[in-house]
Amino acid sequence: MQHSSALSFRDFVDGLRASGDAVFIEREVDSHLEAAAIARLAGERRAPAPVFENVRGAAEGFRLMGVPAGMSSQGNGFSRIAAHFGLHEASGPYEIVEHLVAAMHATPKPPVTVETGPVKENIIRGDEVDLDVFGSPLLHAQDGGRYFGTYGMHIVATPDGKWTSWSISRLMVNDSTSLVGPAMPMQHLGMIHEQWKALGKRTPWAFVLGAPPAAIAAAGMPLPAEVNEDGYIGALTGEAVEVVRTEMHDLSVPANAEIVVEGWIDPERTAIEGPMGEYHGYQFAEGSPKPVFEVEVITHRDDPILPFCVAGMPPEENHTIWGTMISASALDLLRSADLPVSFAWCSYEAATCWIAVSIDLDELARSPWDEGDLVRKVADVLFTSHVGWLVPKVLLVGSDVDITDIDRLVWALATRYRPGTEYVFSDAPGIPLVPYLSAEDRKAGRGGKSIMSLLQPEQLATGRTAGIAAEFTTSFPAELQKSVLENWEDYGYPAARGSESSIP
């Protein structure tokens, strides 16, 4: 059986516990709102991830875990995210994203099929199938139902077997043997479902909870259609993920997953899903019809852990994991197009509604760009991609600003945006979940896209920045800075970290 924080969810949880970044709660906690309330507050306070060992509403021994990829109070705050990829706990945005981009260009390592694994420790079929044993949590008081899948991945394959997709999309409990959730046509899940539907057939389907952390992250990455995420996971971790065959279909699932449900996506049957507190931070009042996912087999580990995300105001898993994977995809696309881009970052605080793009000022010094030309080229790259479908707004920022530091990014937005330098792309396609879209936008699947330039005229023409940031590291002689830092505690202050910029 594979072991590492990237390839085993159980090892990931144990690692968090050992470092003090997970707390195991033994007192009884109700799956009806209480578990979600604790998890939500833990996320907002950057407290350790809660693992609920005694869940009212679940069968004995069945556990829940909240905030699996939340920001941490430890170190630089990114340790829980870094652990998803087996990276050092001190890894920050630059190290994480560059690791993801490098893996996109490494040789894929397809999964290795093994005879069995921990996920087969318990196999439940037919009349014994009962989704209620898991204690799926009610996440918000206004939600339309309990959510089984908020941190799990769908596995489906095309009818010809040439493309297998591992992807993220939520699932609400419909009844004890079925789930309901989105399968939008622009999602890979929806694309493959439509192929089966066109044949008049049900879509063979499996859903995995407690997947290897690197797998759940890769499943949320906007890779191009017809790219198998399972090979990318091997490139990302350096080791092929071990998989076992499902009980019903010619599909493979991670051998050490916590929970797998198997069945079908019905081609016609729908039910009302939601409402649900959403990744963009809003709770709306009504649900809508979505496809029904019929469950005929459940396999799970002993004492399984069901991880969940309490979506809403950032940052939460939709922003930390999904946003990080979007950042890597965007950076790779822009670099591959030979644009003067040094980094891309989907700011967690912006609820996956904008992505900041760092424009390399050294490159501009060598080859200046006209602002309009640069904007149009960025739009051609991003707004025709899955990344651009997901993220509606792009900020172009000079590389003298650390775009991963939200305070500096807001400063740049306030002081460098010139009214009239926002370029609107009303015909670009986009995800209909963006809250400011009109009913017409949602129906058309377009609208609400823009690129905002925060580039100074001098930067575009010469690569030079007009003015420098007035702060500790720039406004005082180096010797005085050194003296102040060395005497900081003597002044009566607690020990503090240095003030050096985090731009690499």
Side-chain angles (χ1 to χ4, degrees), residues 322-374:
W322 193 28
T324 300
M325 307 310 285
I326 290 171
S327 301
S329 292
L331 179 58
D332 186 61
L333 286 168
L334 293 164
R335 281 179 175 168
S336 298
D338 292 325
L339 283 162
V341 170
S342 59
F343 202 64
W345 185 245
C346 198
S347 306
Y348 296 169
E349 297 82 359
T352 323
C353 286
W354 80 32
I355 188 164
V357 174
S358 180
I359 302 300
D360 191 322
L361 295 181
D362 291 336
E363 287 290 327
L364 288 186
R366 289 188 287 268
S367 301
W369 278 73
D370 173 79
E371 183 177 80
D373 290 343
L374 179 59

Side-chain angles (χ1 to χ4, degrees), residues 156-159 163 183-203 265-268 291:
V156 291
T158 53
W163 175 29
M184 291 181 276
M186 285 294 292
Q187 293 177 307
H188 293 172
L189 174 66
M191 292 178 188
I192 292 175
H193 178 48
E194 287 298 320
Q195 291 188 29
W196 287 95
K197 191 174 179 179
L199 298 174
K201 296 181 178 180
R202 298 183 295 175
T203 304
I265 312 175
D266 194 282
E268 303 296 338

